[in-house]
Amino acid sequence: MTGNFEDPRKTFGKAVSDYALAHEDVILLSADSGKSSGFGDFMKEAPERYLEFGIMEQCVTGVASGLACSGKRPVFCAIAPFVTARNFEMFRNDVGYMGQNVKIVGRNGGITYSDLGATHHSLDDFSIIGMIPGVCVLCPQDPNEIRQAVITMMEHDGPVYMRIGNEPVENLFEEEPFVIGKGRRIAEGKDVTIISTGTLTGSVIKALPLLKEKGVSADVIGMPTICPLDEELILDSVEKTARVVTVEEHYIKGGLGTAVSDLLSERSPALVKKLGIPHDYATSGPYKEILKKYGLDEKSIADSVLNFLGIDI
Amino acid sequence: MTEKEIASLNAAATRCRLNILRMIRASGHGHVGGALSAMDMVAALYFYKLNVDPSDPAKEDRDRFVLSAGHKCLCQYAALAEKGFFEKSVLDTYGSLGSPIPGHPDMHKLPGVEANTGALGHGLAISLGMALAQKIDGKNARTYTLLGDGELAEGSNWEAAAAAAHHKVDNLTAIVDYNGLQISGPVKEVMDLTPISDHFRAFGWAVRDIDGNNMNEITDALDALPFEKGKPSCIVAHTVKAKGLSFGEGNVSYHFWNAKEDQLMQAEEELNALLEDYEKEAGS
Ligand SMILES: Cc1ncc(C[n+]2csc(CCOP(=O)(O)OP(=O)(O)O)c2C)c(N)n1
Ligand SMILES: [Mg+2]
């Protein structure tokens, strides 16, 4: 924890713009969404490679596929549900099935569009996009990871979906190269494995002292790639702990927790407690209050882990 | 175009129709109606207009053709085979397990296929992306896509129609196979989008109505592209569904045909006779 916060959209927008300015084949696509995605400067600096389409996410997804057919590297960023659910068939067929080198980024992901309500939340994106064969699903955990994930996403030859939020995010880790499909071990422990993704990893880290107070030593894994999953790291940890808690800003159904459960049920059966949003239309309100309502603040996370381990709170 | 050149294109289209029958013979069934109505235009594209090379299907400066109405794939397979993109024996695998010519086209399985279509309403946006890339790269190449008239009810087409006009993508051509029929009946009764040309015009396209089963009119239209500089072009091609199957022309029940042997034989006979006439006319 560094106490240094950044607006993830600005961090993302700058990283993409810097990369695009240095690489002529990158094209940024907007569905009335470019400025809020942090592309404001790029659209002035390289207007010929910034294409505005207005509010037509299905069309932009198809256009991205067509551009990629000719060797372009399109990046399309807009509000998460509208680049995952609204255009799902275009994502699956035109990007996934066609195997195109297209990068789609859902911003204001999870419940970060908190008070705008369930139409603007994306609590199923890991699940539905993760169902598309061949698409990598990324959810970086802090601004440094976003910067590096952008570079890796651009260099990766194939379709990628990345989710970012819009609440200020604290820098947690040193900036180092991002590897798709690799998790990071944040703390070593033996009592329980905690696996989290996205910015909730920061809350897990803050929950650790509360667990330590109760004598719990947690093996903590930060998992910025949902697909493909870092299976070896999970299996290695669970061998020690035999108990797992997953933490994500996604439905408890179909997300990281489900992927971990699927893996363990075949390879190394263990009890898995999934923390996330219940399978319902999430309520609206201030972001932090919604997190708390669903038990995703640091104190609630610690309490859930203790409960799971049968330790009095 | 001389009369001989037109006859030679008609002969090519007829050979393609015979290729379609060959695929139907292999599997016993297929989406034959819409493939046959579009066959003359697709033949004109491959044998008259498109800058594509069967020996180098991925060549950089090629024109692109996207079959948005993927269920019409028989007409594209027929033309690609006739053009030499793959061995004609592949036609006999239609309908068999793992065939490179599935019921909707798969670019990863067959050279010459540019996009994986089948879900209607995708091809125009993909083609727009391809045409934009050609423009950005300063290439003198064009992208063509073929849509069904029933397909036009998909709203995604109109997103792409607006975007193509807005971005002045005049190297993009949409051909609407206006055969007037879809699965459930006449398009006008199922979901009336007429007048089609006026709709495209209102979206900022330059439009021409033609007889889409008339090689003279087809090649004239293709030669006149873009119809207007700075605008995408739309060819509204009035056609007859199942064109070339004398017993099925204009009949909605030939959208998908479960072929009977006697019908197949009759159709082959009729088309072979027609081919002979065209070949004679073409002087070959
Ligand atoms: C999104 C989508 N919905 C439904 C279908 C099923 N379908 C296949 S062909 C067809 C009718 C198409 O009519 P039209 O566009 O007029 O083409 P034609 O049959 O005349 O070739 C339908 C509904 C589909 N392929 N894709
Ligand atoms: Mg039709």
Side-chain angles (χ1 to χ4, degrees):
Chain A
M1 315 247 76
T2 58
N4 167 29
F5 285 78
E6 294 181 35
D7 176 338
R9 292 175 302 171
K10 289 200 176 126
T11 306
F12 163 80
K14 169 114 181 35
V16 170
S17 301
D18 287 350
Y19 189 91
L21 284 173
H23 297 85
E24 286 272 309
D25 57 340
V26 178
I27 311 245
L28 306 192
L29 305 176
S30 164
D32 203 8
S33 60
K35 262 194 199 143
S36 326
S37 305
F39 298 160
D41 290 337
F42 182 87
M43 63 173 89
K44 285 181 217 118
E45 286 174 64
E48 71 291 349
R49 289 194 284 125
Y50 176 85
L51 300 178
E52 177 60 74
F53 286 87
I55 311 152
M56 46 168 79
E57 296 82 3
Q58 300 173 79
C59 176
V60 177
T61 308
V63 166
S65 167
L67 285 164
C69 283
S70 305
K72 301 291 175 210
R73 282 188 286 170
V75 182
F76 175 30
C77 177
I79 299 171
F82 310 140
V83 297
T84 53
R86 175 53 168 259
N87 60 338
F88 177 73
E89 193 182 70
M90 285 69 186
F91 205 142
R92 188 190 64 188
N93 295 8
D94 308 354
V95 176
Y97 184 29
M98 284 174 64
Q100 295 305 308
N101 197 8
V102 169
K103 318 301 170 188
I104 295 185
V105 179
R107 64 168 160 82
N108 306 75
I111 46 164
T112 57
Y113 246 150
S114 49
D115 56 335
L116 297 190
T119 55
H120 281 58
H121 298 161
S122 66
L123 296 170
D124 51 12
D125 50 347
F126 299 164
S127 169
I128 61 177
I129 303 306
M131 277 305 286
I132 304 175
V135 179
C136 297
V137 176
L138 312 181
C139 188
Q141 306 166 106
D142 80 344
N144 282 333
E145 222 172 63
I146 291 174
R147 263 185 287 276
Q148 288 295 320
V150 162
I151 295 170
T152 302
M153 164 178 90
M154 295 311 302
E155 300 283 321
H156 176 77
D157 185 16
V160 177
Y161 171 66
M162 185 194 293
R163 184 219 271 191
I164 57 172
N166 59 295
E167 288 283 321
V169 186
E170 187 171 2
N171 263 310
L172 308 172
F173 311 116
E174 292 292 312
E175 194 166 334
E176 53 188 56
F178 185 95
V179 182
I180 291 175
K182 286 280 167 244
R184 64 163 89 218
R185 190 169 250 123
I186 294 167
E188 298 266 357
K190 56 177 178 31
D191 299 329
V192 63
T193 299
I194 305 177
I195 310 172
S196 59
T197 189
T199 50
L200 286 187
T201 294
S203 309
V204 168
I205 292 173
K206 285 191 183 134
L208 291 181
L210 304 173
L211 294 175
K212 208 167 175 190
E213 267 173 32
K214 297 279 181 178
V216 172
S217 98
D219 211 46
V220 180
I221 293 173
M223 198 64 91
T225 306
I226 313 291
C227 302
L229 200 60
D230 189 343
E231 300 187 343
E232 294 318 311
L233 185 59
I234 296 170
L235 292 170
D236 177 67
S237 171
V238 172
E239 205 174 300
K240 286 188 297 188
T241 63
R243 278 178 296 192
V244 182
V245 176
T246 58
V247 186
E248 63 194 308
E249 200 173 312
H250 189 276
Y251 284 140
I252 48 174
K253 191 172 174 171
L256 174 68
T258 297
V260 168
S261 305
D262 283 354
L263 168 74
L264 295 178
S265 68
E266 272 198 10
R267 302 273 300 272
S268 180
L271 278 183
V272 178
K273 175 68 191 168
K274 298 195 284 267
L275 305 184
I277 310 284
H279 197 209
D280 199 353
Y281 305 94
T283 193
S284 65
Y287 178 61
K288 290 223 160 67
E289 289 177 35
I290 304 182
L291 283 180
K292 195 158 181 195
K293 174 180 163 65
Y294 294 118
L296 294 171
D297 59 303
E298 59 217 57
K299 172 79 170 63
S300 307
I301 292 171
D303 288 351
S304 294
V305 173
L306 293 172
N307 260 329
F308 180 59
L309 298 178
I311 297 169
D312 286 342
I313 296 168
Chain B
M1 294 289 284
T2 65
E3 274 179 24
K4 278 192 169 185
E5 285 169 321
I6 292 291
S8 142
L9 281 176
N10 275 321
T14 310
R15 273 184 226 109
C16 289
R17 284 196 166 86
L18 282 159
N19 289 343
I20 291 179
L21 294 184
R22 182 165 170 180
M23 289 181 272
I24 294 293
R25 200 170 255 299
S27 74
H29 54 240
H31 281 107
V32 81
L36 287 169
S37 55
M39 193 66 254
D40 296 303
M41 291 165 306
V42 172
L45 282 171
Y46 279 101
F47 291 95
Y48 177 66
K49 204 71 203 173
L50 291 181
N51 171 20
V52 290
D53 181 355
S55 65
D56 184 12
K59 83 166 172 175
E60 226 193 297
D61 285 352
R62 71 189 182 278
D63 291 326
R64 310 259 177 166
F65 172 65
V66 171
L67 185 67
S68 185
H71 66 284
K72 296 173 189 280
C73 58
L74 290 171
C75 72
Q76 191 178 19
Y77 300 155
L80 288 172
E82 201 55 41
K83 185 93 181 165
F85 276 84
F86 58 90
E87 288 293 322
K88 281 200 183 165
S89 58
V90 172
L91 298 173
D92 302 324
T93 70
Y94 189 67
S96 68
L97 182 70
S99 166
I101 49 171
H104 294 95
D106 182 345
M107 62 196 284
H108 304 302
K109 290 189 170 157
L110 199 70
V113 172
E114 301 279 8
N116 292 359
T117 52
L120 296 167
H122 288 238
L124 193 54
I126 296 172
S127 303
L128 171 58
M130 291 177 177
L132 276 168
Q134 289 165 333
K135 261 199 178 306
I136 290 167
D137 289 339
K139 293 215 165 88
N140 187 22
R142 308 190 56 83
T143 299
Y144 302 81
T145 184
L146 190 121
L147 302 134
D149 48 357
E151 179 181 7
L152 292 180
E154 289 286 0
S156 50
N157 290 307
W158 301 102
E159 293 185 1
H166 179 86
H167 286 290
K168 303 184 169 45
V169 188
D170 59 5
N171 58 332
L172 174 68
T173 301
I175 304 173
V176 178
D177 181 9
Y178 187 9
N179 58 26
L181 296 175
Q182 54 191 100
I183 293 181
S184 311
V187 176
K188 237 172 152 24
E189 286 172 20
V190 178
M191 180 45 64
D192 188 4
L193 277 163
T194 54
I196 293 174
S197 3
D198 286 352
H199 278 81
F200 274 96
R201 251 178 228 116
F203 272 77
W205 288 55
V207 188
R208 194 189 267 204
D209 278 79
I210 65 162
D211 175 346
N213 295 125
N214 177 315
M215 214 40 102
N216 261 314
E217 293 196 24
I218 297 170
T219 50
D220 274 357
L222 293 178
D223 283 341
L225 295 171
F227 297 147
E228 222 175 292
K229 216 175 152 19
K231 286 187 178 182
S233 304
C234 176
I235 299 175
V236 179
H238 300 245
T239 60
V240 174
K241 201 155 175 173
K243 176 79 182 173
L245 278 191
S246 61
F247 44 84
E249 285 187 0
N251 182 342
V252 72
S253 54
Y254 283 80
H255 173 79
F256 189 90
W257 184 30
N258 288 301
K260 295 195 188 66
E261 179 58 28
D262 56 330
Q263 287 180 313
L264 260 175
M265 293 217 329
Q266 181 189 339
E268 282 162 355
E269 236 168 72
E270 290 173 4
L271 285 174
N272 274 316
L274 192 63
L275 179 59
E276 227 172 88
D277 291 348
Y278 282 136
E279 283 178 341
K280 230 179 265 162
E281 219 181 308
S284 57

